[in-house]
Amino acid sequence: MKKVSDDLKAELVKIATAGGPSAADFKKILTELGKQVTALASTGGESKVAAALRPFGAEATKAAAAADPASAADNPAYLKAGQDLTAVCAAAGVKLAL
């Protein structure tokens, strides 16, 4: 999950320095995030991290499918899933930047 977090941060910095993100940029980022997180969750069995990855991946995928992905990701369910994942990873010794 740390690599996914770092890759996401690098992509956001690249987009921000190129003039700011478009809806297509957010769609691309959230789509990739959803895919990677869902794939990670499938390898975690019944662990607490896998349990936290599943809703976060689902929320990222749902936001990516919206007409305005940035606004769709700005909702309580997405934010809670990110906070829950960050907390579970922190308890396991992994610091995320979501």
Side-chain angles (χ1 to χ4, degrees):
M1 187 61 217
K2 175 81 167 111
K3 181 177 178 347
V4 172
S5 174
D6 290 346
D7 289 349
L8 174 63
K9 185 177 177 182
E11 185 68 22
L12 288 171
V13 168
K14 185 173 99 177
I15 290 169
T17 58
S22 66
D25 292 328
F26 277 112
K27 180 177 184 67
K28 176 183 170 188
I29 289 168
L30 288 167
T31 298
E32 188 60 29
L33 179 63
K35 285 179 186 177
Q36 289 187 28
V37 169
T38 300
L40 279 173
S42 70
T43 66
E46 297 303 316
S47 71
K48 289 181 182 180
V49 173
L53 285 166
R54 288 183 197 98
F56 186 72
E59 288 297 326
T61 300
K62 185 167 70 172
D68 183 355
S71 293
D74 187 18
N75 75 69
Y78 182 86
L79 297 174
K80 181 178 182 330
Q83 290 168 344
D84 291 349
L85 178 57
T86 300
V88 168
C89 286
V94 177
K95 184 176 179 180
L96 301 181
L98 296 177

